[in-house]
Amino acid sequence: MKDIDYSLYLVTDRRLVGGKDFYQSLGEALAGGVTLLQLREKEASSAEFYRIALKVKEICGRYDVPLIINDRLDIALAVDADGLHIGQQDLPLSVARGLLGRDKLIGVSATTLAEAQLAEADGADYLGIGAMYPTGTKSDARAVSLSELTAIRKNVAIPVVAIGGIGTANVTEVMGTGIAGVSVVSAILAQDDVRAAAQHLRQLIITA
Amino acid sequence: MKDIDYSLYLVTDRRLVGGKDFYQSLGEALAGGVTLLQLREKEASSAEFYRIALKVKEICGRYDVPLIINDRLDIALAVDADGLHIGQQDLPLSVARGLLGRDKLIGVSATTLAEAQLAEADGADYLGIGAMYPTGTKSDARAVSLSELTAIRKNVAIPVVAIGGIGTANVTEVMGTGIAGVSVVSAILAQDDVRAAAQHLRQLIITA
């Protein structure tokens, strides 16, 4: 597997781009310094998800940024994405690994150290931990404290990415826990200047 | 591919079984003569769909009835189902075939002769044509007449199955078009005696 830069990991939400073109916004985010992109589509039909994933893969390719598909292993296979991100309500990791093989990245969402350690033992390539702060895009997410995040980072060997309500106001303290990167949604896609928002976050991450 | 009996093809809808146990109802339907079963889950999470599919595969195995998964190629792969059924809003047939291989059954929903012929040309193993009659389980389905169904059956070489509002009152006239079988949902799963309902339909199909 190629060396992955998890530092600024964009997770998509088409509802956030407002009147702007979704694909153009993604291009601006990538131009601004996003290092990894996860396509999340919870409402789309399979046909629609497939068409969107094909387009997003092409855009990611232009910036040499890996594409991760949220939840849907079939879409990941169909577009030959670089990986799959699964939550606790998605396919079991062992099943996903068996179908995707070792060459694809599989990330797992976890909210506790026990979940994180189990995912690592089952072969996850990285962990998404959160929600760190209150967030409008995933209202059901359990809150994880900075000390819990630190404990998870210290007790697993695979890369840890924090997610949930992270933006310019708190990215420095989150990166201070020694994790590999942060996942953001609104802090990039809901901003007026998407490219500048990504650049600003990237600078704060590099400085942290 | 094994020889498939399409004559009485049950498509599931968990909402229809009322207070009864879903798996027990499926067992009764299979005991009553269902020859093929399609598991359809439009609301379940991936984890839930996977768990349900594993259980249903085990029940189908007891009756040596093939299991087809609706829409979700990843679930079909994950449980090693016998096939996949795709609608016009699901993954393209060519993509599904590439991932599933030639040994798995792929059925395609169609409402017109043009869609049916395209699906056949693209390598569908069978066609699901409908809705034949008004139905509560799929309110957005276009109506297909008996003469349109007959025209489709005459102009494709692959098996044709009719779906949509089919039950004891009209199964004889539908089978009279010379098709391979009928797909039913409510006519079996919403009945008080699921096994007797399947037996009755099976008898009418054999007689037709």
Side-chain angles (χ1 to χ4, degrees):
Chain A
M1 193 164 317
K2 55 183 149 181
D3 203 27
I4 304 291
D5 180 350
Y6 292 95
S7 60
L8 184 53
Y9 185 178
L10 178 66
V11 178
T12 69
D13 188 330
R14 274 191 296 152
R15 297 166 300 184
L16 291 181
V17 300
K20 289 187 281 186
D21 181 74
F22 176 60
Y23 304 105
Q24 193 186 324
S25 291
L26 294 190
E28 289 170 14
L30 292 163
V34 160
T35 61
L36 190 59
L37 190 146
Q38 179 185 141
L39 181 62
R40 183 164 66 183
E41 289 288 333
K42 288 299 190 189
E43 310 295 330
S45 70
S46 297
E48 193 180 11
F49 199 165
Y50 173 68
R51 285 192 297 265
I52 294 168
L54 278 182
K55 284 192 202 174
V56 174
K57 191 190 178 192
E58 192 270 319
I59 297 166
C60 285
R62 273 187 245 155
Y63 294 90
D64 200 25
V65 165
L67 170 64
I68 309 292
I69 301 293
N70 179 278
D71 179 14
R72 293 290 299 269
L73 174 67
D74 46 359
I75 304 296
L77 288 170
V79 304
D80 191 28
D82 300 287
L84 177 73
H85 188 90
I86 51 180
Q88 302 290 326
Q89 294 307 310
D90 301 338
L91 277 178
L93 175 53
S94 58
V95 173
R97 181 63 78 194
L99 294 168
L100 271 181
R102 297 283 339 158
D103 289 343
K104 299 295 186 183
L105 213 61
I106 303 183
V108 175
S109 295
T111 56
T112 64
L113 178 57
E115 282 178 0
Q117 289 179 315
L118 182 62
E120 181 182 38
D122 286 348
D125 293 301
Y126 75 89
L127 298 168
I129 307 293
M132 297 308 303
Y133 305 97
T135 163
T137 51
K138 248 191 153 179
S139 51
D140 60 338
R142 176 184 170 273
V144 175
S145 70
L146 283 174
S147 60
E148 286 176 294
L149 178 64
T150 305
I152 290 169
R153 198 271 299 159
K154 286 185 177 165
N155 286 285
V156 299
I158 55 177
V160 169
V161 179
I163 188 167
I166 298 171
T168 52
N170 51 33
V171 66
T172 303
E173 68 177 17
V174 172
M175 288 304 294
T177 61
I179 57 173
V182 293
S183 277
V184 299
V185 191
S186 316
I188 291 180
L189 289 183
Q191 306 309 307
D192 286 337
D193 188 335
V194 166
R195 180 175 175 154
Q199 280 175 328
H200 188 197
L201 278 169
R202 183 98 176 94
Q203 196 51 53
L204 290 170
I205 289 163
I206 290 167
T207 311
Chain B
M1 193 165 316
K2 55 182 150 181
D3 202 27
I4 304 290
D5 179 351
Y6 291 95
S7 61
L8 184 53
Y9 185 179
L10 178 66
V11 178
T12 69
D13 188 331
R14 273 191 295 152
R15 298 167 299 186
L16 290 181
V17 301
K20 289 186 281 186
D21 180 74
F22 176 61
Y23 304 104
Q24 193 186 324
S25 291
L26 294 190
E28 289 170 14
L30 292 163
V34 161
T35 61
L36 190 59
L37 190 146
Q38 178 185 141
L39 181 62
R40 184 163 67 183
E41 290 288 333
K42 288 298 189 189
E43 310 294 331
S45 70
S46 297
E48 193 180 11
F49 198 165
Y50 173 68
R51 286 192 297 266
I52 293 168
L54 279 182
K55 284 192 203 175
V56 174
K57 191 190 179 193
E58 191 271 319
I59 297 167
C60 284
R62 273 186 244 155
Y63 294 90
D64 200 25
V65 165
L67 170 65
I68 308 292
I69 301 292
N70 180 276
D71 180 13
R72 292 291 299 270
L73 174 66
D74 47 358
I75 305 296
L77 288 170
V79 305
D80 191 29
D82 300 286
L84 177 72
H85 187 91
I86 51 181
Q88 302 288 326
Q89 294 306 311
D90 300 338
L91 278 178
L93 174 53
S94 58
V95 173
R97 180 64 77 194
L99 294 169
L100 271 182
R102 296 282 344 157
D103 289 344
K104 299 294 186 184
L105 213 62
I106 302 183
V108 175
S109 294
T111 56
T112 64
L113 178 57
E115 283 179 359
Q117 289 179 316
L118 183 62
E120 180 182 38
D122 286 347
D125 292 300
Y126 75 89
L127 298 167
I129 307 293
M132 298 307 303
Y133 306 96
T135 161
T137 51
K138 249 193 152 179
S139 51
D140 60 337
R142 175 183 171 275
V144 175
S145 69
L146 282 175
S147 59
E148 286 177 294
L149 178 64
T150 305
I152 291 170
R153 198 271 298 159
K154 285 184 176 165
N155 286 284
V156 298
I158 55 177
V160 169
V161 179
I163 188 168
I166 299 170
T168 52
N170 51 32
V171 65
T172 303
E173 68 178 16
V174 172
M175 289 303 294
T177 62
I179 57 173
V182 293
S183 277
V184 299
V185 191
S186 317
I188 291 180
L189 289 183
Q191 305 309 307
D192 286 337
D193 188 335
V194 166
R195 181 174 175 153
Q199 281 174 328
H200 188 196
L201 279 168
R202 184 99 176 95
Q203 196 52 52
L204 290 170
I205 289 163
I206 291 168
T207 311

